[in-house]
């Protein structure tokens, strides 16, 4: 008898009928001889409705109270899904974040799971019950309610799987698995049977919407093997796991893209220690998430820094930079470019294969696509291109590495 | 500096604007130099919406899960009202039933407050914060969520006032206080400045809708003086408290009525021990709440039992009685009467004044109203009359005891 954790998102529990579908799937898994722990999100729409009410009082409501408010969404889901299971004849019990023993640290609305005390879950499983656990929530050791931020229910599922030493953790979602590239862009994109944690992390931070990085990080840290699969069918999905030697045979696992990027370049900065720190510090204080960061020395011995960020942040970044540059140097200039996008090729095979960048740049060149900035990690090559050309770029790179073809074992 | 507990019902927090009104009232109370603990219900309509969803799965959903579901209503209210207080510039913090340390016993959906551990509330008050506490909920010592049933938020307010040794407990509602009779029926009904716990209990169990009996019982048990007053204005309301000698000077404190009653009379029962137990047992198993119970022996040495109940229960009662009477006696007959109502006159002064029943019956007789059943307690006389005449009856009795006039001290 295997213990299976299944995570169902807000769309999967978005109506009475969809909850019935979840109940039917849980029942089927149970009838196959497994114990099941379902981790559920708030019904889609509920959280947005609550946020809207809160904003009537304040554009930025107290985060402690937001947590108290938003945690009710998942609490309603667990009760209703449990009732749906009862209707289907399955003995089930709902479990709040607190009852699941999910203890958190960090700030409100962005809690981090510190520890899980799964006594109640363990006892209920031993009594033969199916559990329906609230995703996205936990409590501080003092008993204050925390929510876990975006993608928090995935994190709950993985953490619960780790705490209960589950045999399988299934992240059931509206996509079939992880693809070599977004199938809406690259028609012959292929579903990956498996991907390593590190590749999944690079994909996540490169625009792939499948999962948030920290859930993958948590799984990697605790060695939780999980599967991303569709909640709408029974097709096998993509297994996310620690890398094994055979994985390195594939040079590039996948290609991900991120649109709506902008670039800021600062020139004319004196090349003395501490300058980069001041500039990055100012952008950090303005709460701008930088993505690519490239610095070098120009012909005039002055430093040249380029950053990319979401284009929504461009105005805020310019304002913050004007202030700090006025202090630093009268010669400093800010140059901006919106309307760009990022393409990343990811694969642990890169570590043992040479010529990957060359193949990629050649493919882009042949497609007549200019490369802007370049940034690399051990298992990723990322470039910026004109946003209007990003889909062509994705197809060119996907073809160049023959990602549509099953790799040779 | 006084500590004031204020309870706001679902209508008072039924919209963003109404929550703002609550915040303004709390702020005013605070600005007058008091500490405030606001106990709030779910926004009106929320609970019904949740019940409706639950009933999609089952007409009688699992009570444990109903508690998990319904407790979210108050949790949303406390977060939003706290945000409204922040908007008004009041430092405030929300407190769930669990955080309030409200420990319960009994069954799900009908939890009873067993103990309150007010450490977090006490600490937050000491930090100068205003508290917004979730009504209607608590947790079992094992951490399972309990709701307290109808009128549960009143009970929370009174219990919190007891635990915190509050100076004042205000039950803010849509009525101005407790009246000598329903002012919609008796135009010259008078608001009572005070009423004893026992009188309030008799009024509650006689159809007065102001408060549930068990909240009053809890207040009596722990000696919590509370005030029923309007949430819409600042008029003083009615103080509910332990009786004091001067209270006995008033013969009748008030008159309450209960409509939609029905009577069942059973005749031809052998007058042997155990018969009443069998009959009442059958009605109890059918979950019928009996109100008045009158039994006597008829001229033929056979017993005659009459009961009143809500007319909605009449069909169920007849069915249950048919079964049990078939066992007991071939001669037993069931006689029913719907369309009756109950009028109760309540007052602790009855204990030391004679002739109360005579005054009441004379008044009804002069108004041409027939009396059906009669039932009395130490501080109450109740009669049934034709439902069509109940308002006339109320006015006649109210006049006979001159309840419109301020009593002589």
């Amino acid at each position: 008898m295997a213990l299976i954790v299944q995570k169902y998102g807000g769309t999967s529990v978005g109506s009475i009928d969809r909850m019935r579908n979840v109940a039917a799937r849980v029942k089927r898994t149970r009838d196959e001889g497994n114990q099941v722990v379902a981790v559920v999100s708030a019904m889609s729409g509920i959280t947005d409705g609550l946020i809207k009410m809160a904003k009537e009082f304040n554009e930025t409501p107290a985060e402690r109270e937001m947590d108290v408010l938003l945690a009710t969404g998942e609490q309603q889901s667990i009760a209703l899904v449990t009732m749906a299971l009862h209707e289907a004849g399955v003995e089930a019990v709902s479990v709040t974040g607190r009852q699941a023993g999910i203890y958190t640290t960090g700030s409100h609305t962005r809690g981090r799971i510190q520890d899980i005390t799964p006594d109640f879950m363990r006892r209920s499983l031993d009594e033969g019950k199916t559990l329906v656990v609230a995703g996205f929530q936990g409590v501080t050791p003092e008993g204050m309610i925390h929510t876990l931020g975006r993608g928090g229910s995935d994190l709950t599922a993985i953490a619960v799987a780790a705490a209960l030493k589950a045999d399988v953790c299934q992240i059931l979602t509206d996509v079939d698995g992880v693809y070599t590239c977004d199938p809406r862009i690259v028609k012959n994109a292929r579903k990956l049977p498996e991907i390593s944690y590190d590749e999944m992390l690079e994909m996540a931070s490169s625009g792939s919407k499948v999962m948030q990085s920290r859930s993958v990080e948590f799984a990697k840290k605790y060695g939780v093997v999980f599967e991303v699969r569709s909640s709408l069918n029974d097709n096998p999905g993509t297994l996310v796991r620690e890398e094994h030697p055979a994985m390195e045979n594939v040079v590039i696992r996948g290609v991900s893209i991120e649109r709506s990027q902008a670039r800021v370049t600062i020139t004319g900065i004196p090349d003395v220690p501490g300058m980069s720190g001041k500039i990055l510090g100012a952008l950090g204080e303005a709460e701008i998430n930088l993505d690519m960061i490239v610095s070098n020395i120009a012909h005039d011995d002055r430093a040249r820094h380029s950053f990319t960020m979401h284009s929504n942040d461009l105005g805020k970044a310019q304002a913050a930079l004007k202030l700090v540059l006025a202090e630093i140097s009268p010669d400093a200039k800010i140059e901006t470019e919106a309307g760009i996008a990022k393409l990343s090729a990811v694969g642990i095979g890169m570590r043992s294969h040479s010529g990957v960048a060359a193949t990629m740049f050649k493919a882009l060149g042949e497609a007549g696509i200019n490369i802007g900035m370049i940034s690399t990690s051990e298992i990723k090559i990322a470039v910026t291109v004109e946003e209007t050309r990003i889909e062509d770029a994705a197809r060119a790179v996907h073809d160049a590495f023959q990602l549509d073809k099953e790799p040779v074992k």
Side-chain angles (χ1 to χ4, degrees), chain A residues 384-405:
Chain A
T384 61
V385 303
E386 289 283 331
E387 188 160 9
T388 52
R389 300 302 309 277
I390 187 65
E391 300 198 358
D392 295 332
R395 284 186 283 263
V397 174
H398 198 269
D399 282 352
F401 290 103
Q402 302 190 305
L403 296 186
D404 58 320
K405 295 197 174 62

Side-chain angles (χ1 to χ4, degrees), chain A residues 152-170:
Chain A
S153 293
D154 290 343
L155 186 58
T156 302
I158 288 168
V160 163
L164 294 173
K165 299 186 176 55
D167 299 286
V168 181
C169 178
Q170 298 175 338

Side-chain angles (χ1 to χ4, degrees), chain A residues 55-316:
Chain A
K55 294 209 171 202
E56 297 266 352
F57 296 116
N58 194 324
E59 195 44 45
T60 53
E63 293 184 335
R64 180 189 188 280
E65 303 308 329
M66 280 309 277
D67 277 355
V68 173
L69 184 65
L70 297 185
T72 61
E74 279 72 21
Q75 191 169 321
Q76 292 177 351
S77 288
I78 56 172
L80 292 168
V81 169
T82 303
M83 291 173 187
L85 282 164
H86 292 168
E87 184 192 41
V90 176
E91 211 186 330
V93 68
S94 70
V95 186
T96 64
R98 180 161 196 156
Q99 290 164 353
I102 299 175
Y103 289 99
T104 51
T105 179
S107 19
H108 280 291
T109 76
R110 294 177 295 279
R112 292 194 308 275
I113 295 180
Q114 190 173 35
D115 190 29
I116 297 192
T117 313
D119 300 356
F120 174 67
M121 290 195 289
R122 183 72 70 194
R123 206 161 58 240
S124 303
L125 285 171
D126 288 347
E127 289 166 1
K129 286 175 185 147
T130 292
L131 311 188
V132 184
V133 177
F136 182 67
Q137 60 178 250
V139 287
T140 68
E142 295 76 36
M144 299 303 117
I145 296 170
H146 254 171
T147 63
L148 306 178
R150 278 172 62 89
S153 293
D154 290 343
L155 186 58
T156 302
I158 288 168
V160 163
L164 294 173
K165 299 186 176 55
D167 299 286
V168 181
C169 178
Q170 298 175 338
I171 306 293
L172 297 161
T173 175
D174 51 0
V175 297
D176 245 11
V178 183
Y179 278 74
T180 50
C181 193
D182 185 339
R184 286 167 302 186
I185 295 166
V186 178
K187 295 286 167 236
N188 56 0
R190 190 171 45 83
K191 185 165 65 184
L192 294 164
E194 64 177 8
I195 185 171
S196 74
Y197 294 128
D198 287 339
E199 289 167 333
M200 188 74 177
L201 280 169
E202 288 286 10
M203 301 280 277
S205 65
S206 304
S208 161
K209 297 287 183 296
V210 177
M211 270 179 97
Q212 296 275 311
S213 301
R214 67 202 173 116
S215 297
V216 184
E217 276 161 12
F218 197 99
K220 177 177 156 78
K221 185 169 169 190
Y222 292 97
V224 177
V225 177
F226 65 93
E227 185 187 10
V228 177
R229 59 190 288 171
S230 169
S231 62
L232 304 171
N233 60 47
D234 279 336
N235 300 340
T238 301
L239 223 51
V240 186
R241 53 187 297 188
E242 197 46 81
E243 62 181 83
H244 56 80
M247 277 185 174
E248 288 214 24
N249 295 341
V250 178
V251 183
I252 297 292
R253 188 81 54 204
V255 171
S256 56
I257 67 168
E258 198 159 15
R259 299 173 200 260
S260 303
Q261 301 293 296
R263 174 180 61 85
V264 173
T265 296
I266 307 167
T267 56
I269 304 289
D271 183 26
V272 296
M275 287 299 115
S276 306
K278 273 193 184 163
I279 293 167
L280 295 177
L283 292 168
E285 270 172 41
E287 297 196 332
I288 291 156
N289 285 318
L290 297 180
D291 182 9
M292 296 163 79
I293 302 176
V294 177
S295 297
N296 54 18
I297 304 299
H299 54 90
D300 57 356
D301 271 352
R302 294 244 152 173
R304 179 186 172 91
H305 300 286
S306 292
F307 320 108
T308 64
M309 64 195 71
H310 195 278
S311 57
N312 289 349
D313 284 343
L314 188 54
K316 215 163 48 163

